[in-house]
Every structure is written in structure tokens, then in C-alpha cells.
Amino acid sequence: MSDIMQVTDETFDAEIMKSELPAMVDFWAEWCGPCRMVGPVVEELSKAYEGKIKIAKMDVDKNRQTPARFGIRNIPTLILFKGGEVAQTIIGAQPRSYIEGELKKLL
Amino acid sequence: MQMYDVIILGGGPAGLTAGLYNARARLKVVLYERLAPGGQVLTTDWVENYPGFPDGVSGFELMDRMKSQAEKFGLEIQNDEVMRLDLSESKKIVTTAGETLETKAVIIACGATWKKLGIEGEERLMGKGISFCATCDGPFYRDQEVAVIGGGDTAVEEAIFLTRFVSKVHIVHRRNQLRATKLIQERAMAQEKIEFVWDTIPVSVLGETGVEGIELKNVKTGVVSRKAVKGIFVFIGTIPNTELVKGQLKLDESGFIVTDDNMQASVPGVFAAGDIRSKLFRQISTAVGEGATASYAVEKYLEKSLTSS
């Protein structure tokens, strides 16, 4: 099991919307193959950007409110937040270089 | 610079099989996969036509097994993205995000991606009701109506899978009969939740902030109609992931890599296997066979270049 932060419907606002750092949340589920494919990339990025960007995961099977609030109908979806606003949405399992390019725009 | 015997690009069934054989042959080999290994099989709920599994096997389990089998024999798998390939007969350079490697041979097994519809509204509503993966996104459409576009094995199998969640699936197909395997067709025909819309193509996706429907056109009568659906699942064929080799290898008119019977592409020492290759039938079983053939062709190629140099 990885040590990447997991957020829930209960903790989402405090951890992400009110985060001082920019943030990225990986919306995923156990049943989703492409989520498994992009998972290791997200974990690597969470280490590489530690202290600069808060990177977390949310299980959409266990948390229904937050995905609905952001209109998520595809997983994996990565949403990038800055100052409590959605800065970018990345749909599907994209390669690291693309995700990292979008992350750098948050800094 | 490190010199490899062979570098494999892509960690689906073709790449992992090539890696298994090349590792057992004790070649200096590494496999690069930009995401976690598994490939498109990971989007398949249940695989029933891969021999050796009479009750079927989940896509996850099958790919876990292929990966651990290759690793057991020493295949090194790098989770890294290849940014650039320079392919010539005399020199093959693989550039990743972090390093530059030289290799005597390359096996390209990067697979293919689902083709988009290319119609009005699709880009606007991407991620808001358009999907290319029923196993990923099906649960978002509980008790709603959805459309599946396509008539091949994947389209019909995914439509059947979606009946677990949705209230109705409209299979929209441009012809008046399906291309899917007969057994799959029979299962779909027996499903009360599946309705077929024959001789019909989509012309636009409706909705502003989320999919609200789809506009369709009957190709025989020209009649335009609308269906109120919340989700549109698109399975109309694939486009090969050939960004790295464009302009360097011969491709067919649809962009797939052309090879000879031994999987060799138009540059000596460059081989292709699996869904990225120009061929008749894209299956796990064919990908595996091509991976094995490519790996053996690499061995023969290396022997030949050794004796001629």
C-alpha cells in the first residue's frame, strides 16, 4: 500500500479546497484498469513534488459527493486545484510528461 | 552509453511476451512502459477467448500473471516514458525522460488507442458523458440510458457489461448487422436492456455541461433523430500509438506499422508486435504470438549481425 494521501468527502474541503499549496486529486476506483495504470505515475509525482504540490487520491466508489460536485463521469480523472479553484482537469490515463507539464503551471 | 541487445516499448501482452522470451534467451533486454504494465486488456472485465482459461479470467489477473511470469525470468521493466526514438539500420537510440540508451534491436509494442467520433459536441463534452471504457465509467450511469457506438466485439461486449448498471443501452451501428462474434451477438440479442439502432451513425453530441443526448442519422433513409442518453460509449476502432516512429517506419493507410511475416518493420532490426501492427485481427492471443515471433526474429537478427561484423 502506498503512502499517498487519501481524501474523502469529509476531508476534501479542508485538505484540498483550503490547501495553501496547489493540489491535485486523482479520482479512481478499484475496478478501473486505466486507474491502475496511472496510479504509479501519480505516486511518483507526489514524491517528486512533496512540499510544493499536495497530491492526493479519492476512491469514487467510497465517496460519491465530491465526484458528483465536480461532474466526474470518467475515471481516472485528475483535477488540479489552485486557491480553492479548479485549475485544470486531466481525463484518462495520460503519460507522466503531460501530467507534469500541467502540474508545473500551478507553481 | 549502455548498449542493449533489444529494447521493448510497451507493456501489454505483445511486449511482455517478447520480454519473457528475450529474458529467457539471456539477451540484454529492458522493457519500457510509460504507465503501469497491462495495456488495453486492463479495461476488459472478463477474457473468455484466451486459451487455457476455460472459465475465463479477469483482464487484471491475466496481465498480472503475464507480468510476473516475465519478471520471474529476469525481464527488467522500467516505468518510464520514451520521448524519442532514432531508428536507422546502423544505430538505434532510445531517449527516455531521464537517459539515452543505445540498442541493437527494438520491438515496438505500444498498442493502440480508441478512435474518437469526430463529430460536433464531442470535444466539448469529453469527460462529461463520453467514454471509451465501460468497465471504468459504467457505474456512473446507474439507472440511466446510454448509447454504445460500434458493432464489433468490444462494442457489443461492453454494451452487455453496461446492462449491469444502466436502464437501457442503445447500440448504434452503421450497418444492419453486427461484426461481433456470433456468441456475443446471441448474448446481446437475449438482453432485454439492449436495443439496436441499425444503419445509423451519430452526427452530434447534445448537451452543454454534460451529455444530454445524441443526434443520429439513418444512412439509408437520411432521417435524423435524437435519443436522450446521459452517456455515450465509443468503440469504433483504434488508432495506433505511433507518434514515436512517424516518418521513420513504413505505415499502412490507417497508420499501423507494416512488417514482414517475422514482425520486422521497414528498418532492419526494428520489429513491431501487437495492436500497433498492420494486421487482420487484434486479439490478446495474436499479440502474444507476435511478441514471441518478434523476440525470436530479434535473436536471429543479432546472430546475423554478429557473423557479418
Side-chain angles (χ1 to χ4, degrees):
Chain A
M1 200 56 207
S2 68
D3 47 13
I4 189 167
M5 176 196 275
Q6 305 282 335
V7 288
T8 64
D9 284 339
E10 289 71 39
T11 61
F12 186 84
D13 274 351
E15 291 289 355
I16 304 298
M17 300 308 271
K18 291 179 185 146
S19 169
E20 292 202 358
L21 294 176
M24 178 171 85
V25 180
D26 171 13
F27 293 89
W28 71 286
E30 198 60 54
W31 66 68
C32 156
C35 299
R36 293 194 184 196
M37 294 176 78
V38 80
V41 174
V42 172
E43 277 162 35
E44 276 171 36
L45 289 169
S46 80
K47 290 192 190 98
Y49 286 84
E50 198 172 355
K52 296 188 194 123
I53 298 174
K54 190 185 271 191
I55 297 180
K57 296 178 74 139
M58 175 177 274
D59 183 342
V60 303
D61 197 25
K62 298 195 178 99
N63 301 281
R64 302 285 171 90
Q65 291 163 17
T66 312
R69 173 172 161 197
F70 293 100
I72 290 171
R73 292 206 233 169
N74 295 82
I75 48 171
T77 286
L78 307 177
I79 302 186
L80 284 62
F81 297 90
K82 193 168 184 175
E85 308 244 341
V86 175
Q88 177 64 285
T89 303
I90 301 172
I91 298 152
Q94 303 293 339
R96 178 177 170 144
S97 59
Y98 178 76
I99 301 171
E100 198 164 8
E102 295 301 322
L103 279 180
K104 281 182 177 154
K105 293 181 193 165
L106 296 178
L107 297 173
Chain B
M1 202 189 301
Q2 283 217 67
M3 175 64 98
Y4 282 87
D5 289 324
V6 55
I7 293 180
I8 300 167
L9 273 62
L16 288 172
T17 305
L20 167 69
Y21 277 74
N22 283 156
R24 285 168 61 89
R26 298 279 186 253
L27 298 188
K28 189 165 169 51
V29 53
V30 60
L31 183 151
Y32 277 90
E33 166 56 55
R34 61 185 187 176
L35 300 165
Q40 229 173 43
V41 186
L42 293 184
T43 65
T44 308
D45 175 50
W46 203 247
V47 179
E48 284 186 329
N49 56 4
Y50 189 72
F53 297 90
D55 300 319
V57 57
S58 79
F60 286 162
E61 190 187 344
L62 183 60
M63 294 322 295
D64 273 350
R65 284 170 176 252
M66 283 195 195
K67 175 175 169 267
S68 44
Q69 191 173 355
E71 283 179 328
K72 179 182 157 190
F73 291 103
L75 177 67
E76 182 195 346
I77 299 176
Q78 285 287 347
N79 265 120
D80 203 352
E81 198 178 344
V82 173
M83 309 303 287
R84 192 187 152 97
L85 272 182
D86 294 282
L87 304 172
S88 71
E89 182 165 4
S90 55
K91 224 175 167 117
K92 294 162 184 74
I93 308 287
V94 177
T95 309
T96 70
E99 47 187 346
T100 303
L101 308 164
E102 193 171 351
T103 181
K104 294 171 194 160
V106 181
I107 297 175
I108 298 163
C110 304
T113 309
W114 288 102
K115 211 185 261 177
K116 293 179 182 175
L117 290 169
I119 60 173
E120 194 338 82
E122 184 180 35
E123 286 305 322
R124 184 178 73 240
L125 293 162
M126 202 53 83
K128 296 169 183 153
I130 296 171
S131 174
F132 302 87
C133 178
T135 53
C136 307
D137 304 332
F140 291 108
Y141 299 94
R142 262 173 235 282
D143 305 318
Q144 296 178 334
E145 288 195 29
V146 299
V148 166
I149 317 296
D153 275 345
T154 308
V156 181
E157 282 182 330
E158 302 300 274
I160 295 168
F161 177 81
L162 287 168
T163 61
R164 296 184 195 183
F165 310 102
V166 305
S167 59
K168 181 160 275 180
V169 184
H170 303 274
I171 297 184
V172 178
H173 187 43
R174 60 187 163 152
R175 289 190 251 276
N176 64 0
Q177 55 182 12
L178 299 170
R179 225 170 346 103
T181 309
K182 275 282 183 281
L183 171 84
I184 310 285
Q185 292 193 28
E186 288 162 14
R187 283 185 194 162
M189 303 286 179
Q191 261 292 342
E192 279 175 16
K193 285 183 179 177
I194 294 180
E195 210 161 84
F196 293 92
V197 189
W198 302 113
D199 297 315
T200 298
I201 55 167
V203 286
S204 69
V205 183
L206 308 170
E208 284 308 315
T209 54
V211 169
E212 297 293 337
I214 187 163
E215 194 163 75
L216 304 168
K217 184 181 168 188
N218 185 301
V219 291
K220 288 199 173 145
T221 63
V223 172
V224 173
S225 64
R226 288 179 172 199
K227 287 250 182 270
V229 292
K230 294 285 185 195
I232 299 168
F233 290 81
V234 183
F235 304 105
I236 55 166
T238 58
I239 43 169
N241 299 324
T242 47
E243 306 81 27
L244 293 167
V245 301
K246 270 191 192 133
Q248 303 193 74
L249 296 179
K250 187 179 172 201
L251 306 177
D252 71 12
E253 65 276 13
S254 306
F256 293 89
I257 299 174
V258 175
T259 73
D260 65 13
D261 289 348
N262 300 328
M263 309 301 134
Q264 180 158 282
S266 56
V267 172
V270 178
F271 301 81
D275 282 1
I276 200 167
R277 199 173 77 88
S278 179
K279 60 174 175 176
L280 181 65
F281 198 30
R282 294 193 166 78
Q283 294 288 302
I284 305 169
S285 53
T286 60
V288 160
E290 290 163 33
T293 304
S295 71
Y296 191 66
V298 163
E299 280 185 55
K300 293 290 137 198
Y301 173 79
L302 295 175
E303 282 169 20
K304 206 172 98 197
S305 49
L306 200 66
T307 48
S308 62
S309 64

